[in-house]
């Protein structure tokens, strides 16, 4: 794939799998849940990434009352917030966050506020001032609500925003919001994002005098 340059006025960042590698925690918590429900943990792990927990449960147990999914999701969030063992930054994340510190950007995550704070801290990354966490949306990714709210909070049109995502649900949400998507990591490689990089080391950020952000994505 040749080198790519994308231009934007604002950046919308997923957290898990994009800025923070939390796969170890996610897999521990969801394996426990799957075994307790008599489900195949490997099959469950193909569904969990990118969605809020209650939405994952609704996919896996479609006949179950949604109130039960929300109740179990609250327990799951507490478990995930307390467990930060193995949470590390994605390659290049610290330099990327430093490069965009003064540029318009927002965190748009399926985590709630407490989990987002815990994981960003565990990875040693700054938490963006503008963020859309689980408490602020009525619908989980792949619904575009979170990304649309992030763009609105920053004051930009969807077409002026570039989304950074790793999961199928997240990439679908970015597309549905009318935004271009940079896929991060192995999960995103097969999902045909507008551009793809293995991690954030493959990215250089340039700020133009007119406010445009140029994203130089390495060829691979």
């Amino acid at each position: 794939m040749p080198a790519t340059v994308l231009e934007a006025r604002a950046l919308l960042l997923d957290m898990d799998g994009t800025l923070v590698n939390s796969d170890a925690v996610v897999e521990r918590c969801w394996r426990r849940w799957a075994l307790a429900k008599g489900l195949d943990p490997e099959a469950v792990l193909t569904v969990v990434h990118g969605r809020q927990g209650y939405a994952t449960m609704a996919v896996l147990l479609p006949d179950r009352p949604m109130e039960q999914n929300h109740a179990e999701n609250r327990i799951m969030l507490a478990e995930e917030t307390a467990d930060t063992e193995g949470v590390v930054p994605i390659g290049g994340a610290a330099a990327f966050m430093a490069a965009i510190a003064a540029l318009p950007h927002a965190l748009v995550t399926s985590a709630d506020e407490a989990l987002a704070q815990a994981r960003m801290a565990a990875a040693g990354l700054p938490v963006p001032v503008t963020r859309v966490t689980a408490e602020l949306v009525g619908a989980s990714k792949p619904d575009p609500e979170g990304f649309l709210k992030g763009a609105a909070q920053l004051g930009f049109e969807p077409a002026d925003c570039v989304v950074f995502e790793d999961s199928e649900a997240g990439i679908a949400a970015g597309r549905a919001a009318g935004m271009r998507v940079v896929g991060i990591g192995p999960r995103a490689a097969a999902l045909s994002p507008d551009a793809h990089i293995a991690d954030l080391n493959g990215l250089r950020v340039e700020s133009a005098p007119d406010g445009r952000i140029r994203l130089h994505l390495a060829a691979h």
Side-chain angles (χ1 to χ4, degrees), residues 99-191:
I100 67 169
L103 304 176
H105 68 283
L107 189 71
V108 181
T109 175
S110 294
D112 65 4
E113 178 70 19
L115 182 56
Q117 293 282 353
R119 285 196 177 153
M120 293 292 279
L125 298 174
V127 180
V129 173
T130 303
R131 51 192 181 271
V132 180
T133 54
E135 301 96 327
L136 301 180
V137 296
S140 170
K141 298 172 186 176
D143 191 282
E145 180 185 359
F147 287 125
L148 292 172
K149 283 193 170 180
Q153 284 189 29
L154 292 172
F156 292 93
E157 293 297 318
D160 289 327
C161 299
V162 167
V163 164
F164 286 78
E165 265 287 0
D166 72 301
S167 71
E168 183 174 11
I171 289 172
R175 285 209 182 101
M179 300 172 183
R180 290 156 296 153
V181 180
V182 173
I184 308 292
R187 276 191 291 270
L191 300 172

